[in-house]
Amino acid sequence: MTELSIQLVNLFASFLLMLAFAMLAQRRVLTLINLYSLQGLTVVAATTVVAHMTHQEHLYYSAVLTLILKVFLIPWILHRLVKRLNVRWDVETLINIPSTMLVGIVLVVFAFNLALPISRLSSSVVPGTLGIALACVLLSFMMMIMRTKALPQVIGFLAMENALFFAATSATYGMPMVVELGIALDVLVGVFILGVFLFQIREQFESLDISHLENLKED
Amino acid sequence: MTFTRALSQVISVVTPLALAPLLLGWVNQVRAWLSNRKGPGILQPYRMLHKLFNKDSVMADTASSLFRFAPYAIFGCMLLANAIIPTLSTDLPLASAADAIALVGLLALARVFISLAAMDIGTAFGTLGARREMLVGFLAEPALLTVLFSASLNGKSTALATIVEAVVHRDFAIYPSLVFAGMAFTLVYLAENSRVPVDNPATHLELTMIHEAMILEYSGRHLALMEWAAALKLFAYSTLGIALFLPWGIGQRATPSSLLLSLPSLGLKLVVIGAVLALVETFSAKLRIFRVPEFLATSFLLGVIGMLTHILLGA
């Protein structure tokens, strides 16, 4: 039983890594949001399995919280944002997608090596997942850097938070409930604020391309 | 003893030879059904081969002996590839002769021949097809190698028979690395067999052709061999996928009876794979040729992630 649970957590971890790459390679905003939603669902599944395996009651609560917040609520808000901002176009990346993915592989190798000594010290039953979570954080970070439009950057930020949450559950069996609630609300408020922010950017520049922000004033 | 071993090796070579057109016919039939057509029946490839073998072969004036020789070389490569892959049993005399890397080399040799033959006549379409084939090939090959390396890490050997045996004998477990390798393999499978997202085997539009453009100049028995070789390639890739990822039910002794016993499970798996392939082809649109590198980069990436997760998670 525990054997199967460990395998399942490992499987979800690798699935998370794959989704991080899929988001990195994705061109369309709507698919990006759906991928984010799927990532949330994977995190929920992994959390539930860890909760079942370690008999930690509070992990169930955080799984339900994640389910409501990151699988339904935030994607719904993002969908609304896309509709109201009318930004269904293809996402532009700074360098082309195959090269981005090759850089991504390098990042994964780096993250795995970085996490190896840490996971040796860890008492968790699934030490390997820490490296994967770290890799996901770095990949989401790279997604934020590589995208020129504001909305994919917001999604990259949210994906990074997902990966951090996964790192917390798999490596340390979750944070205290208060901290988790705080982070969850932070993310929700963050999305609201960033949504308002996006409207403001568009109002000012009539585009969501953040390269406009580099100019101090109009020539 | 040696006689039964030789006999079982012969069976495992004849089986792909006989079943490959059937698999192709099945895929085409399911594709026809899915697009609400009646379809030509699953025996159509046999009829086509029969027709082509009875026709005269016409050669262009500019054709060199390479053009004449290439179909035999390609057909031979594909047949040998089928003999290497443990299709029906893991214990065969030829199975230890070549490992997974040699298999990739064999497929590459066939690709070189078909591209050279396509360029030999000097028509624009042949050259165009050859160039595209080399583009797809040089991107698909590393992806296929990473898939095979993932499987090799799992089986601790590059010999295909050993890999298959390792998977069969172990208790059932979820291997994330194999999940990744499986997804990567699916993409390579589609690209290498000139299936829909990359190429369309049923196309009549020369500008979008890859594989069809290369065999445009062939006719008669040469074309028959080319078509048969393509069917054998599809069969080889299908059985390679089965061997690496779903090997349960494979025979483990080199006796004809053991081989015949594993035939039904192989047939069942091929039926499922053919139907899934037709489904994928029906649901996906053909990619622009400039998006193909992205498609295959994804495949390569998945293969590499598979290897990395194996190293990190040890599974």
Side-chain angles (χ1 to χ4, degrees):
Chain A
M1 192 61 217
T2 332
E3 193 64 26
L4 183 70
S5 305
I6 292 173
Q7 284 169 12
L8 273 178
V9 174
N10 279 340
L11 184 71
F12 288 135
S14 1
F15 199 59
L16 220 52
L17 188 62
M18 197 197 72
L19 282 174
F21 270 107
M23 288 169 98
L24 203 60
Q26 188 49 247
R27 279 210 166 84
R28 283 155 207 245
V29 180
L30 285 178
T31 323
L32 209 55
I33 298 172
N34 292 340
L35 282 174
Y36 170 71
S37 178
L38 200 61
Q39 194 189 35
L41 200 63
T42 314
V43 171
V44 169
T47 313
T48 318
V49 173
V50 171
H52 180 77
M53 185 168 61
T54 58
H55 307 289
Q56 305 237 5
E57 294 285 315
H58 77 275
L59 278 181
Y60 285 116
Y61 299 124
S62 58
V64 172
L65 192 68
T66 315
L67 184 71
I68 295 169
L69 207 63
K70 290 176 197 159
V71 182
F72 296 113
L73 194 59
I74 292 182
W76 180 70
I77 295 172
L78 288 172
H79 271 294
R80 263 180 62 112
L81 266 178
V82 167
K83 213 184 228 169
R84 292 188 53 193
L85 288 166
N86 203 11
V87 280
R88 286 155 184 275
W89 58 70
D90 283 4
V91 178
E92 287 160 30
T93 52
L94 283 178
I95 59 175
N96 68 354
I97 284 176
S99 335
T100 317
M101 297 211 275
L102 288 181
V103 178
I105 293 180
V106 177
L107 274 185
V108 173
V109 174
F110 173 72
F112 280 13
N113 277 318
L114 200 64
L116 216 55
I118 307 171
S119 51
R120 278 210 198 97
L121 298 173
S122 164
S123 59
S124 162
V125 284
V126 279
T129 50
L130 191 65
I132 289 189
L134 194 60
C136 289
V137 171
L138 289 179
L139 287 173
S140 311
F141 205 56
M142 186 164 82
M143 183 179 143
M144 287 174 73
I145 296 170
M146 291 296 176
R147 298 302 167 102
T148 54
K149 294 275 165 28
L151 198 61
Q153 292 187 343
V154 172
I155 298 173
F157 165 74
L158 292 170
M160 195 160 80
E161 198 274 333
N162 259 349
L164 280 175
F165 179 79
F166 178 72
T169 26
S170 62
T172 62
Y173 303 142
M175 297 168 274
M177 202 62 209
V178 185
V179 179
E180 244 161 57
L181 269 176
I183 291 177
L185 286 177
D186 265 2
V187 169
L188 191 61
V189 172
V191 169
F192 277 123
I193 293 175
L194 285 168
V196 174
F197 207 61
L198 293 183
F199 275 108
Q200 289 296 329
I201 293 176
R202 201 189 55 161
E203 200 92 319
Q204 286 289 320
F205 304 107
E206 289 176 351
S207 154
L208 282 178
D209 197 330
I210 47 97
S211 59
H212 290 294
L213 295 177
E214 287 166 12
N215 304 328
L216 284 176
K217 57 185 177 190
E218 283 176 33
D219 309 314
Chain B
M1 190 58 207
T2 45
F3 174 71
T4 50
R5 281 177 74 83
L7 185 66
S8 41
Q9 182 65 58
V10 168
I11 289 177
S12 68
V13 173
V14 169
T15 311
L17 211 53
L19 288 184
L22 195 66
L23 178 67
L24 193 63
W26 166 245
V27 174
N28 289 340
Q29 182 63 45
V30 177
R31 274 186 79 176
W33 282 337
L34 284 172
S35 50
N36 260 338
R37 287 182 285 124
K38 222 175 118 201
I42 58 172
L43 296 178
Q44 183 60 27
Y46 293 108
R47 292 188 206 114
M48 191 192 62
L49 287 179
H50 180 252
K51 178 190 82 181
L52 288 174
F53 271 121
N54 283 321
K55 282 196 170 190
D56 279 342
S57 179
V58 182
M59 284 277 173
D61 297 335
T62 48
S64 71
S65 53
L66 179 87
F67 187 77
R68 200 182 289 269
F69 171 67
Y72 301 101
I74 294 159
F75 186 78
C77 281
M78 290 308 161
L79 195 60
L80 202 55
N82 271 298
I84 292 172
I85 297 167
T87 309
L88 289 169
S89 167
T90 54
D91 178 32
L92 287 172
L94 263 184
S96 58
D99 63 357
I101 298 163
L103 177 71
V104 178
L106 209 55
L107 294 170
L109 185 66
R111 182 177 308 122
V112 168
F113 267 109
I114 198 169
S115 307
L116 285 179
M119 289 192 286
D120 186 51
I121 302 249
T123 62
F125 285 127
T127 316
L128 179 144
R131 287 177 177 202
R132 288 181 179 174
E133 170 76 4
M134 289 320 265
L135 171 75
V136 171
F138 110 94
L139 292 164
E141 212 163 87
L144 181 62
L145 276 173
T146 54
V147 170
L148 290 169
F149 286 152
S150 294
S152 308
L153 281 172
N154 235 320
K156 298 196 171 46
S157 161
T158 55
L160 284 164
T162 320
I163 297 171
V164 175
E165 266 177 2
V167 177
V168 170
H169 285 163
R170 240 182 333 217
D171 293 334
F172 179 78
I174 304 165
Y175 294 100
S177 61
L178 281 188
V179 174
F180 281 112
M183 285 189 284
F185 183 78
T186 313
L187 300 187
V188 175
Y189 178 81
L190 290 172
E192 281 276 41
N193 289 297
S194 36
R195 293 282 141 186
V196 153
V198 179
D199 186 8
N200 188 355
T203 184
H204 294 291
L205 182 65
E206 288 93 339
L207 286 175
T208 62
M209 286 175 173
I210 298 178
H211 181 256
E212 294 296 310
M214 286 192 295
I215 59 171
L216 219 48
E217 296 295 329
Y218 277 108
S219 59
R221 60 178 188 282
H222 294 123
L223 182 60
L225 279 178
M226 284 294 204
E227 297 281 0
W228 205 349
L232 277 172
K233 190 176 184 185
L234 182 68
F235 194 85
Y237 268 92
S238 308
T239 49
L240 181 63
I242 290 172
L244 293 181
F245 305 111
L246 316 155
W248 297 281
I250 196 169
Q252 288 168 28
R253 278 171 298 119
T255 56
S257 59
S258 145
L259 261 64
L260 290 178
L261 273 176
S262 65
L263 204 53
S265 76
L266 178 76
L268 191 69
K269 286 180 220 166
L270 283 177
V271 165
V272 173
I273 285 183
V276 171
L277 175 61
L279 208 63
V280 170
E281 277 197 276
T282 309
F283 275 108
S284 49
K286 194 178 165 302
L287 289 171
R288 279 166 56 206
I289 189 85
F290 297 114
R291 285 281 166 85
V292 170
E294 223 163 89
F295 181 81
L296 288 167
T298 311
S299 166
F300 177 69
L301 179 89
L302 287 169
V304 172
I305 295 179
M307 287 193 327
L308 288 175
T309 45
H310 179 89
I311 292 164
L312 189 77
L313 300 173

mmCIF file of all heavy atoms in Angstrom, chain B residues 37-56:
data_model
loop_
_atom_site.group_PDB
_atom_site.id
_atom_site.type_symbol
_atom_site.label_atom_id
_atom_site.label_comp_id
_atom_site.label_asym_id
_atom_site.label_seq_id
_atom_site.Cartn_x
_atom_site.Cartn_y
_atom_site.Cartn_z
ATOM 1 N N ARG B 37 -16.548 6.957 -43.729
ATOM 2 C CA ARG B 37 -16.453 6.332 -45.041
ATOM 3 C C ARG B 37 -16.532 4.824 -44.864
ATOM 4 O O ARG B 37 -16.352 4.317 -43.758
ATOM 5 C CB ARG B 37 -15.134 6.711 -45.717
ATOM 6 C CG ARG B 37 -15.119 8.131 -46.204
ATOM 7 C CD ARG B 37 -13.824 8.469 -46.901
ATOM 8 N NE ARG B 37 -12.723 8.653 -45.931
ATOM 9 C CZ ARG B 37 -11.585 7.969 -45.971
ATOM 10 N NH1 ARG B 37 -11.387 7.065 -46.904
ATOM 11 N NH2 ARG B 37 -10.651 8.190 -45.074
ATOM 12 N N LYS B 38 -16.778 4.130 -45.944
ATOM 13 C CA LYS B 38 -16.915 2.683 -45.825
ATOM 14 C C LYS B 38 -15.541 2.016 -45.709
ATOM 15 O O LYS B 38 -15.386 1.034 -45.012
ATOM 16 C CB LYS B 38 -17.647 2.148 -47.053
ATOM 17 C CG LYS B 38 -18.673 1.084 -46.713
ATOM 18 C CD LYS B 38 -19.446 0.693 -47.951
ATOM 19 C CE LYS B 38 -19.209 -0.772 -48.235
ATOM 20 N NZ LYS B 38 -19.483 -1.117 -49.625
ATOM 21 N N GLY B 39 -14.571 2.551 -46.394
ATOM 22 C CA GLY B 39 -13.226 2.004 -46.314
ATOM 23 C C GLY B 39 -13.012 0.863 -47.280
ATOM 24 O O GLY B 39 -13.949 0.194 -47.692
ATOM 25 N N PRO B 40 -11.744 0.642 -47.652
ATOM 26 C CA PRO B 40 -11.449 -0.374 -48.658
ATOM 27 C C PRO B 40 -11.352 -1.791 -48.086
ATOM 28 O O PRO B 40 -11.114 -2.724 -48.850
ATOM 29 C CB PRO B 40 -10.099 0.078 -49.213
ATOM 30 C CG PRO B 40 -9.455 0.785 -48.075
ATOM 31 C CD PRO B 40 -10.550 1.383 -47.249
ATOM 32 N N GLY B 41 -11.508 -1.978 -46.813
ATOM 33 C CA GLY B 41 -11.314 -3.308 -46.228
ATOM 34 C C GLY B 41 -9.889 -3.484 -45.775
ATOM 35 O O GLY B 41 -8.970 -2.873 -46.343
ATOM 36 N N ILE B 42 -9.696 -4.331 -44.754
ATOM 37 C CA ILE B 42 -8.352 -4.394 -44.187
ATOM 38 C C ILE B 42 -7.396 -5.203 -45.054
ATOM 39 O O ILE B 42 -6.207 -5.220 -44.817
ATOM 40 C CB ILE B 42 -8.370 -4.959 -42.746
ATOM 41 C CG1 ILE B 42 -8.982 -6.352 -42.698
ATOM 42 C CG2 ILE B 42 -9.088 -4.044 -41.798
ATOM 43 C CD1 ILE B 42 -8.831 -6.999 -41.344
ATOM 44 N N LEU B 43 -7.893 -5.876 -46.079
ATOM 45 C CA LEU B 43 -7.003 -6.666 -46.926
ATOM 46 C C LEU B 43 -6.476 -5.864 -48.118
ATOM 47 O O LEU B 43 -5.723 -6.383 -48.934
ATOM 48 C CB LEU B 43 -7.729 -7.911 -47.439
ATOM 49 C CG LEU B 43 -8.139 -8.889 -46.342
ATOM 50 C CD1 LEU B 43 -8.896 -10.056 -46.933
ATOM 51 C CD2 LEU B 43 -6.930 -9.398 -45.575
ATOM 52 N N GLN B 44 -6.867 -4.602 -48.196
ATOM 53 C CA GLN B 44 -6.490 -3.786 -49.347
ATOM 54 C C GLN B 44 -4.979 -3.728 -49.601
ATOM 55 O O GLN B 44 -4.555 -3.849 -50.756
ATOM 56 C CB GLN B 44 -7.064 -2.381 -49.175
ATOM 57 C CG GLN B 44 -6.815 -1.430 -50.321
ATOM 58 C CD GLN B 44 -7.403 -1.930 -51.625
ATOM 59 O OE1 GLN B 44 -8.373 -2.679 -51.619
ATOM 60 N NE2 GLN B 44 -6.804 -1.534 -52.732
ATOM 61 N N PRO B 45 -4.128 -3.567 -48.560
ATOM 62 C CA PRO B 45 -2.689 -3.526 -48.845
ATOM 63 C C PRO B 45 -2.177 -4.782 -49.548
ATOM 64 O O PRO B 45 -1.305 -4.692 -50.411
ATOM 65 C CB PRO B 45 -2.058 -3.366 -47.460
ATOM 66 C CG PRO B 45 -3.092 -2.715 -46.650
ATOM 67 C CD PRO B 45 -4.392 -3.252 -47.150
ATOM 68 N N TYR B 46 -2.740 -5.954 -49.208
ATOM 69 C CA TYR B 46 -2.314 -7.181 -49.893
ATOM 70 C C TYR B 46 -2.672 -7.106 -51.371
ATOM 71 O O TYR B 46 -1.877 -7.454 -52.238
ATOM 72 C CB TYR B 46 -2.985 -8.411 -49.278
ATOM 73 C CG TYR B 46 -2.558 -8.710 -47.874
ATOM 74 C CD1 TYR B 46 -3.409 -8.482 -46.818
ATOM 75 C CD2 TYR B 46 -1.297 -9.225 -47.609
ATOM 76 C CE1 TYR B 46 -3.032 -8.751 -45.525
ATOM 77 C CE2 TYR B 46 -0.902 -9.498 -46.325
ATOM 78 C CZ TYR B 46 -1.773 -9.270 -45.277
ATOM 79 O OH TYR B 46 -1.390 -9.529 -44.007
ATOM 80 N N ARG B 47 -3.897 -6.646 -51.646
ATOM 81 C CA ARG B 47 -4.333 -6.531 -53.037
ATOM 82 C C ARG B 47 -3.427 -5.572 -53.797
ATOM 83 O O ARG B 47 -3.019 -5.832 -54.926
ATOM 84 C CB ARG B 47 -5.777 -6.013 -53.103
ATOM 85 C CG ARG B 47 -6.776 -7.000 -52.569
ATOM 86 C CD ARG B 47 -8.205 -6.530 -52.826
ATOM 87 N NE ARG B 47 -9.084 -7.111 -51.823
ATOM 88 C CZ ARG B 47 -9.735 -6.420 -50.909
ATOM 89 N NH1 ARG B 47 -9.637 -5.106 -50.878
ATOM 90 N NH2 ARG B 47 -10.500 -7.020 -50.030
ATOM 91 N N MET B 48 -3.067 -4.470 -53.112
ATOM 92 C CA MET B 48 -2.226 -3.491 -53.772
ATOM 93 C C MET B 48 -0.839 -4.070 -54.063
ATOM 94 O O MET B 48 -0.306 -3.895 -55.164
ATOM 95 C CB MET B 48 -2.098 -2.262 -52.876
ATOM 96 C CG MET B 48 -1.476 -1.081 -53.544
ATOM 97 S SD MET B 48 -1.064 0.150 -52.327
ATOM 98 C CE MET B 48 0.120 -0.722 -51.320
ATOM 99 N N LEU B 49 -0.299 -4.807 -53.086
ATOM 100 C CA LEU B 49 1.018 -5.415 -53.298
ATOM 101 C C LEU B 49 0.953 -6.408 -54.455
ATOM 102 O O LEU B 49 1.841 -6.455 -55.311
ATOM 103 C CB LEU B 49 1.486 -6.128 -52.021
ATOM 104 C CG LEU B 49 1.922 -5.226 -50.872
ATOM 105 C CD1 LEU B 49 2.331 -6.057 -49.671
ATOM 106 C CD2 LEU B 49 3.071 -4.331 -51.292
ATOM 107 N N HIS B 50 -0.112 -7.192 -54.482
ATOM 108 C CA HIS B 50 -0.287 -8.175 -55.547
ATOM 109 C C HIS B 50 -0.331 -7.492 -56.905
ATOM 110 O O HIS B 50 0.332 -7.895 -57.866
ATOM 111 C CB HIS B 50 -1.573 -8.976 -55.298
ATOM 112 C CG HIS B 50 -1.837 -10.012 -56.340
ATOM 113 N ND1 HIS B 50 -2.839 -9.874 -57.264
ATOM 114 C CD2 HIS B 50 -1.217 -11.179 -56.608
ATOM 115 C CE1 HIS B 50 -2.832 -10.916 -58.061
ATOM 116 N NE2 HIS B 50 -1.858 -11.736 -57.681
ATOM 117 N N LYS B 51 -1.106 -6.405 -56.950
ATOM 118 C CA LYS B 51 -1.234 -5.667 -58.209
ATOM 119 C C LYS B 51 0.120 -5.114 -58.641
ATOM 120 O O LYS B 51 0.534 -5.272 -59.792
ATOM 121 C CB LYS B 51 -2.226 -4.522 -58.011
ATOM 122 C CG LYS B 51 -2.408 -3.642 -59.225
ATOM 123 C CD LYS B 51 -3.193 -2.394 -58.903
ATOM 124 C CE LYS B 51 -2.307 -1.331 -58.288
ATOM 125 N NZ LYS B 51 -3.006 -0.097 -57.937
ATOM 126 N N LEU B 52 0.838 -4.501 -57.691
ATOM 127 C CA LEU B 52 2.099 -3.850 -58.045
ATOM 128 C C LEU B 52 3.166 -4.860 -58.465
ATOM 129 O O LEU B 52 3.954 -4.591 -59.362
ATOM 130 C CB LEU B 52 2.596 -3.005 -56.866
ATOM 131 C CG LEU B 52 1.807 -1.733 -56.599
ATOM 132 C CD1 LEU B 52 2.287 -1.074 -55.331
ATOM 133 C CD2 LEU B 52 1.923 -0.774 -57.764
ATOM 134 N N PHE B 53 3.167 -6.024 -57.803
ATOM 135 C CA PHE B 53 4.180 -7.024 -58.168
ATOM 136 C C PHE B 53 3.946 -7.560 -59.574
ATOM 137 O O PHE B 53 4.870 -8.037 -60.232
ATOM 138 C CB PHE B 53 4.178 -8.180 -57.163
ATOM 139 C CG PHE B 53 5.098 -7.927 -56.003
ATOM 140 C CD1 PHE B 53 4.624 -7.902 -54.708
ATOM 141 C CD2 PHE B 53 6.452 -7.713 -56.216
ATOM 142 C CE1 PHE B 53 5.469 -7.662 -53.647
ATOM 143 C CE2 PHE B 53 7.311 -7.475 -55.160
ATOM 144 C CZ PHE B 53 6.813 -7.446 -53.867
ATOM 145 N N ASN B 54 2.693 -7.497 -60.058
ATOM 146 C CA ASN B 54 2.397 -8.001 -61.395
ATOM 147 C C ASN B 54 2.552 -6.951 -62.473
ATOM 148 O O ASN B 54 2.319 -7.228 -63.642
ATOM 149 C CB ASN B 54 0.971 -8.563 -61.422
ATOM 150 C CG ASN B 54 0.924 -9.920 -60.763
ATOM 151 O OD1 ASN B 54 1.832 -10.724 -60.934
ATOM 152 N ND2 ASN B 54 -0.102 -10.162 -59.977
ATOM 153 N N LYS B 55 2.934 -5.752 -62.086
ATOM 154 C CA LYS B 55 3.079 -4.694 -63.090
ATOM 155 C C LYS B 55 4.542 -4.534 -63.472
ATOM 156 O O LYS B 55 5.434 -4.871 -62.695
ATOM 157 C CB LYS B 55 2.551 -3.372 -62.532
ATOM 158 C CG LYS B 55 1.051 -3.292 -62.549
ATOM 159 C CD LYS B 55 0.621 -1.864 -62.358
ATOM 160 C CE LYS B 55 -0.858 -1.738 -62.625
ATOM 161 N NZ LYS B 55 -1.288 -0.362 -62.678
ATOM 162 N N ASP B 56 4.755 -3.993 -64.637
ATOM 163 C CA ASP B 56 6.122 -3.707 -65.042
ATOM 164 C C ASP B 56 6.629 -2.478 -64.311
ATOM 165 O O ASP B 56 5.867 -1.582 -63.979
ATOM 166 C CB ASP B 56 6.164 -3.432 -66.546
ATOM 167 C CG ASP B 56 6.175 -4.729 -67.321
ATOM 168 O OD1 ASP B 56 6.497 -5.757 -66.694
ATOM 169 O OD2 ASP B 56 5.834 -4.712 -68.509
#
